[in-house]
Amino acid sequence: MNKITAASLAALAAIAPAVALAPPALADGTPGHGDVKLHATLSPFKVNKVTGSGTAMVHLEGNKAHVTIKVRGLLAGAPHAQHFHVGAKGVCPPESAAKVRNGKLSLNTTDGLPFYGAIGTSLTTSGDTGPASGLAVDRFPVGPEYTYKRTITVTDDVAKSLRSDNAVVVVHGIDYNGNGEYDNVLGPSDLDPSLPAEATNPALCGALRTTATGAVKGGQGGTQTDQRATVAAAAGGALLIGTAGTLYLRRRTGSTS
Ligand SMILES: [Cu+2]
């Protein structure tokens, strides 16, 4: 396994700028700090030849995030960097965001930045959890299958992103050519040219969405998590106007997990 150098961390930090999000205002104008629970279904990037799957759960209390991630079907014996990405659209990239490199169609971490944003939290097994630990491969879980549980204190920006359904879980590390190791079939990593792209390309992705909150605002199901929809309702007089909040509510209603 390649070693992570200080230079590589600097390279990663360069693509993970500080995120400044507007604080999410509730319908009554106060910022949210209450308990929220979030869930994500982690889906594989087929374009990266991934067939694994997983789930992520976060219970956020203040800035304390109790994180549980379960994955299976990833490359065995290899570390899998995993992060909360924040500050963009709060969604996973479509497979159409992939590009041809080394004559092969693949999706690298940079391809997804306009969709899931930069690294907000590194979901390491120990020690630092900031963006600078984004490629600390000796502190990430090892595949093919694992359950990760850790309580992490997240930054204010990440807490706000979680509460506003803007955070995305990305698990990295793929085996594009199925030879059982990270190699250079796709060339060097976009995050650190001393690493193979296979070691850092996204494998699984899931947008975290709130499933429950501690404080329910009366009447119309307008909890903290429904803030965008609630704001939309206040502005437009109806919930079913074409907003991100509406899409979210539909998705949430249709979900059984
Ligand atoms: Cu990531």
Side-chain angles (χ1 to χ4, degrees):
M1 188 60 214
N2 287 280
K3 282 197 132 176
I4 296 301
T5 64
S8 74
L9 293 180
L12 185 71
I15 65 132
V19 177
L21 288 175
L26 300 179
D28 64 3
T30 57
H33 294 290
D35 257 37
V36 293
K37 289 182 178 169
L38 303 99
H39 181 270
T41 298
L42 306 181
S43 299
F45 286 108
K46 296 191 177 97
V47 71
N48 281 346
K49 314 297 186 195
V50 180
T51 57
S53 60
T55 56
M57 284 181 295
V58 179
H59 180 191
L60 185 66
E61 301 175 289
N63 283 33
K64 195 175 284 189
H66 306 278
V67 182
T68 303
I69 294 176
K70 295 182 183 182
V71 307
R72 61 186 179 84
L74 298 182
L75 176 60
H80 292 278
Q82 49 180 21
H83 317 108
F84 292 152
H85 286 251
V86 298
K89 296 176 182 172
V91 299
C92 295
E95 305 251 324
S96 59
K99 296 186 177 68
V100 175
R101 301 179 181 89
N102 264 19
K104 297 176 179 64
L105 187 67
S106 66
L107 187 134
N108 69 20
T109 302
T110 306
D111 294 332
L113 292 181
F115 301 90
Y116 47 56
I119 294 171
T121 304
S122 297
L123 301 169
T124 55
T125 53
S126 65
D128 177 65
T129 57
S133 291
L135 289 181
V137 289
D138 55 339
R139 291 188 289 116
F140 282 114
V142 173
E145 183 175 331
Y146 58 79
T147 297
Y148 169 89
K149 271 182 191 282
R150 191 175 178 195
T151 297
I152 288 169
T153 300
V154 299
T155 64
D156 288 348
D157 285 337
V158 170
K160 285 169 188 165
S161 290
L162 287 164
R163 287 195 168 84
S164 55
D165 285 349
N166 181 256
V168 179
V169 173
V170 183
V171 180
H172 301 255
I174 68 169
D175 185 16
Y176 192 92
N177 54 354
N179 70 344
E181 61 179 24
Y182 295 150
D183 64 21
N184 284 313
V185 62
L186 298 174
S189 166
D190 50 315
L191 304 183
D192 175 358
S194 76
L195 291 173
E198 280 193 334
T200 64
N201 278 12
L204 306 175
C205 183
L208 282 163
R209 295 293 180 259
T210 43
T211 58
T213 63
V216 176
K217 304 268 172 189
Q220 51 184 330
T223 67
Q224 289 182 1
T225 66
D226 297 333
Q227 57 195 257
R228 288 181 303 195
T230 303
V231 170
L239 271 173
L240 292 176
I241 57 177
T243 66
T246 302
L247 293 172
Y248 158 62
L249 284 175
R250 283 180 180 157
R251 209 178 303 132
R252 185 184 176 208
T253 304
S255 171
T256 55
S257 57

